[in-house]
Amino acid sequence: MASGRWWFHLRRCAACGYIGCCDSSPNQHASKHYAATGHPVITSFEPGEHWFYDYRTEQPFAGPKLHPPHAHPPEQPVPGPAGAVPSNWQTLIRG
C-alpha cells in the first residue's frame, strides 16, 4: 500500500506473517517473499478462504490454525486498495 500499487488477492506467510499479493497480482510480492526469505508456506488472506500452499511442492494442503488476523477486513475491496485499482485491472492480472 505504501507504494500506491494495487493487488488482486492477498497471501500471508505462515512463518512470519508477511502479507503479500498473489501471483496473479502485478507485483507478486508473496512469491518474491519466498524467494528472498525461503519461507515456503503461504495461506490465503482473503475473507472466507482457508487454505495453505507450499512453494516447494507447489501443492495446496490443510494447514494449522494461525493467530489472527486471518484476512483483510471484509469491507476492503478486492482488488484493492480502494482508489488505487485501475479501471482496466482485469486485463492486467496474470493468468
Side-chain angles (χ1 to χ4, degrees), residues 1-76:
M1 286 181 63
S3 69
R5 302 212 179 176
W6 65 279
W7 63 83
F8 183 50
H9 288 132
L10 297 177
R11 307 295 180 234
R12 177 182 177 187
C13 175
C16 71
Y18 173 84
I19 307 297
C21 54
C22 71
D23 284 351
S24 294
S25 297
N27 294 298
Q28 302 175 325
H29 288 117
S31 59
K32 288 178 182 175
H33 176 73
Y34 164 56
T37 64
H39 297 167
V41 177
I42 59 169
T43 185
S44 177
F45 202 63
E46 295 299 319
E49 292 186 7
H50 306 284
W51 54 262
F52 286 77
Y53 180 82
D54 189 326
Y55 282 109
R56 297 167 297 191
T57 63
E58 298 182 353
Q59 295 293 315
F61 67 96
K65 184 146 179 99
L66 300 177
H67 292 288
H70 299 290
H72 62 76
E75 64 273 6
Q76 184 181 74

